[in-house]
Amino acid sequence: MSFGLIKILTALIFFSIIPFKSEGQFHDWCIADEQTPDDELVQALKWACENGANCTKIQENQPCYLPNTVKEHASYAFNSYYQNMKQKGASCYFNSAALLTANDPSHDACKFEVIP
């Protein structure tokens, strides 16, 4: 077998075992855990907004204000904090009030940011 053919076969084998990253793959969002009581979510939401989350979109008359629930607002704030700060070592924890999901929580005009 020629050396060139061996190189091609080796390259084909190499690239066939390494998964290719397609658009949308390997993204995660940080959202509020549905089992967390509202009073704990409020505390964590406040902390997130004061420590790196961009909470302007959950203000009244903004695209992520509705539905106006603690869980929805906390999810947006947790994700904003996580996306903005994960490169600096931040996690999606918030005293066990949050969890990671591979499902995009965006809805209607409210788009949850994702930073790879």
Side-chain angles (χ1 to χ4, degrees):
M1 207 182 288
S2 75
F3 184 72
L5 185 57
I6 292 173
K7 285 174 65 174
I8 291 171
L9 288 174
T10 303
L12 286 173
I13 292 170
F14 177 77
F15 287 114
S16 69
I17 61 172
I18 294 179
F20 289 101
K21 183 177 178 182
S22 64
E23 192 61 37
Q25 192 176 11
F26 304 121
H27 293 301
D28 54 2
W29 292 265
C30 181
I31 60 171
D33 186 338
E34 291 183 12
Q35 299 178 17
T36 304
D38 280 359
D39 60 326
E40 291 179 33
L41 288 177
V42 168
Q43 289 178 347
L45 164 65
K46 182 179 178 188
W47 186 90
C49 290
E50 292 172 350
N51 289 281
N54 179 352
C55 295
T56 57
K57 290 187 179 180
I58 57 176
Q59 302 303 311
E60 195 168 359
N61 297 319
Q62 295 300 309
C64 298
Y65 179 72
L66 295 175
N68 183 14
T69 66
V70 172
K71 180 188 167 293
E72 290 295 324
H73 288 188
S75 289
Y76 187 86
F78 293 171
N79 186 68
S80 177
Y81 173 84
Y82 174 68
Q83 298 298 332
N84 290 334
M85 306 300 283
K86 68 183 177 183
Q87 299 299 329
K88 297 177 182 173
S91 68
C92 174
Y93 182 66
F94 299 96
N95 279 342
S96 296
L99 52 91
L100 288 174
T101 182
N103 299 322
D104 184 352
S106 299
H107 53 87
D108 304 316
C110 180
K111 303 301 178 210
F112 280 56
E113 183 177 28
V114 64
I115 300 171

